Amino acid sequence: MMPAEMLSPDAHRFRLHPVASRFAPMFCLALLTASCALASLALACATPFAAFAVVAAAMLPLRSALLVVTGAWLVNQSIGFGVLRYPVDGSTLAWGFVIGAAALMATAASSALLRALPQGRTPLILAVTLVAAYATYEFVLLAATPFLGGEGAFSAAIVTRLGLLGAVWLAGLVAVCEIARLVAPFGRKGAMSA
């Protein structure tokens, strides 16, 4: 294990360390794209992008997190149009891009908040970050409704149900990260020093 002073200056800010730093982007991409495929097939329009944003921001620098979330969004859109047969029309395509923009904004908000919040109490910090990410995500979607319609999807019951679903997904994703950390397929020594 390398001394703490040899860690990169940003290494302390990441809240999730399931694998060595050098493997984190690939691990996160695999985790989120597989999760996105499962969520897209099971939930169609209720993919928990806010939870994905929090996990990516808690594990990766902003640029990498944005790329990973973009990969998950591409999986979502591919399944939607290719498997679930979403209609290929202007409104559906526009909503797809708005969802992608909302996911990226939620990722950026998560990253900024995680940098600003103090270390410690990671479960609480991740929960607070999820609330901010979900609010950002929903705000971006809501902002598109005057142009694309769909105001009915923003009832309190629907927004609350999807928020709770995002919390369940976040808990599951963090659990997978913790299991990976405990199993240490890439070696814990590398996780602390890479």
Side-chain angles (χ1 to χ4, degrees):
M1 187 162 18
M2 296 180 86
E5 64 272 4
M6 296 197 66
L7 292 173
S8 74
D10 287 333
H12 71 280
R13 78 173 182 90
F14 298 111
R15 308 293 174 137
L16 296 176
H17 303 278
V19 296
S21 297
R22 67 178 179 263
F23 297 116
M26 289 309 297
F27 177 84
C28 192
L29 179 65
L31 175 66
L32 294 188
T33 56
S35 298
C36 190
L38 177 62
S40 297
L41 290 169
L43 306 171
C45 294
T47 303
F49 281 111
F52 295 170
V54 172
V55 169
M59 196 180 309
L60 302 170
L62 179 58
R63 181 178 172 167
S64 297
L66 291 170
L67 289 171
V68 165
V69 170
T70 298
W73 172 79
L74 287 170
V75 167
N76 171 261
Q77 295 301 294
S78 297
I79 289 172
F81 287 103
V83 177
L84 300 177
R85 303 278 189 220
Y86 291 172
V88 181
D89 59 34
S91 177
T92 307
L93 292 170
W95 269 116
F97 283 108
V98 170
I99 289 168
L104 294 176
M105 293 296 293
T107 305
S110 296
S111 182
L113 189 56
L114 287 170
R115 277 194 316 271
L117 292 173
Q119 290 294 318
R121 295 185 301 219
T122 296
L124 177 61
I125 299 293
L126 292 177
V128 168
T129 304
L130 177 63
V131 170
Y134 186 62
T136 301
Y137 182 80
E138 288 294 315
F139 179 76
V140 172
L141 296 180
L142 183 62
T145 60
F147 310 102
L148 300 175
E151 297 84 5
F154 292 92
S155 70
I158 292 172
V159 170
T160 300
R161 183 177 60 81
L162 294 176
L164 292 173
L165 183 66
V168 169
W169 272 92
L170 178 61
L173 291 167
V174 170
V176 169
C177 288
E178 284 301 302
I179 291 167
R181 185 183 62 78
L182 292 173
V183 172
F186 301 109
R188 284 302 299 151
K189 183 192 281 188
M192 297 307 290
S193 63

